[in-house]
Amino acid sequence: MRLHPQDMTYIQAHLSQELADTPMTLVPDAEIIRGGCVLEATHVTVDATMEGRWRRALASLGLTLKWPQETDDR
């Protein structure tokens, strides 16, 4: 799981017991906006970033607006 470094600190501090039996590696990624993450497994990637969730929600409404913090070079 890739997530913002500050979110990683929170996850480790508050969910360490729940994650103890889960074969998962947490990877800090400052490119990911706080509150989002990217889950990567052998044959699947789940984009749970804020930008990705924003795009999917608006797409369901027929809109294509960018997430306010998203730039064209990302």
Side-chain angles (χ1 to χ4, degrees):
M1 176 189 304
R2 293 187 297 118
L3 62 164
H4 191 277
Q6 289 176 317
D7 290 343
M8 188 172 130
T9 301
Y10 179 84
I11 295 291
Q12 288 174 325
H14 296 284
L15 296 178
S16 58
Q17 289 181 338
E18 288 81 357
L19 296 175
D21 296 330
T22 304
M24 181 185 318
T25 303
L26 300 177
V27 178
D29 186 342
E31 293 291 316
I32 296 178
I33 295 172
R34 291 201 65 192
C37 66
V38 175
L39 302 167
E40 298 173 327
T42 305
H43 298 288
V44 67
T45 298
V46 177
D47 178 358
T49 61
M50 298 300 286
E51 307 96 294
R53 291 184 283 175
W54 174 265
R55 281 191 300 271
R56 287 189 299 277
L58 290 181
S60 71
L61 300 172
L63 302 172
T64 58
L65 299 172
K66 288 188 176 188
W67 174 254
Q69 296 176 349
E70 196 172 10
T71 62
D72 289 331
D73 60 320
R74 276 180 47 153

